[in-house]
Amino acid sequence: QVEESGGGSVQEGDSLELSCTYSPLTAETFATGWFRQVPGKEREGISCINWSGGSTIYADSVKGRFTITRGSRNTIYLQMNNMKPEDTAMYYCAVRKTQYGYCPGSWSKGTDFDYWGQGTQVTVSS
């Protein structure tokens, strides 16, 4: 139900845009989060967007470089600019079904999200 796309290999300073598509039931509202994980390290929550797209949250590690937006009703984008080697990771999109479609206070832990994609690899070379 959740699918990421857009990963790839780029050079330091380059940009990349990830997409996340979700096929909700007609009446569902949901928040969407982006996470990343490097083998051997904990998963990191990097951004979350609410149902309307009017509220966004970012981790300090990506603030000012990454932008999360909502396109169509079921498509979320993550624009990544000025990328760094430390951005190299598997990136996951996750959806949280919620009556009001907001990002929870503990969003970065990822435990509140209901559906996860398979991930898309992003590699940044120096």
Side-chain angles (χ1 to χ4, degrees):
Q1 286 184 297
V2 179
E3 185 173 358
E4 307 93 342
S5 62
S9 297
V10 296
Q11 295 292 316
E12 186 174 8
D14 284 351
S15 298
L16 199 63
E17 183 178 69
L18 304 182
S19 299
C20 171
T21 57
Y22 168 59
S23 301
L25 298 177
T26 303
E28 287 184 346
T29 56
F30 53 93
T32 308
W34 280 100
F35 299 80
R36 65 187 182 188
Q37 189 166 23
V38 175
K41 294 188 177 181
E42 289 189 3
R43 181 178 60 202
E44 178 187 14
I46 57 176
S47 188
C48 187
I49 188 168
N50 71 339
W51 166 243
S52 69
S55 177
T56 56
I57 310 172
Y58 298 94
D60 289 342
S61 60
V62 304
K63 196 172 296 182
R65 299 188 299 119
F66 290 13
T67 303
I68 189 171
T69 57
R70 182 175 296 279
S72 63
R73 180 173 179 265
N74 64 333
T75 303
I76 302 296
Y77 301 99
L78 183 69
Q79 177 67 42
M80 304 183 292
N81 297 328
N82 189 23
M83 297 188 71
K84 305 175 181 181
E86 50 263 43
D87 294 323
T88 296
M90 184 70 79
Y91 283 69
Y92 298 91
C93 177
V95 169
R96 176 177 186 261
K97 295 189 297 182
T98 169
Q99 183 177 4
Y100 301 108
Y102 64 91
C103 296
S106 59
W107 70 273
S108 63
K109 297 180 180 179
T111 53
D112 295 311
F113 289 80
D114 302 293
Y115 302 111
W116 291 77
Q118 294 298 309
T120 185
Q121 178 67 38
V122 172
T123 302
V124 184
S125 302
S126 58

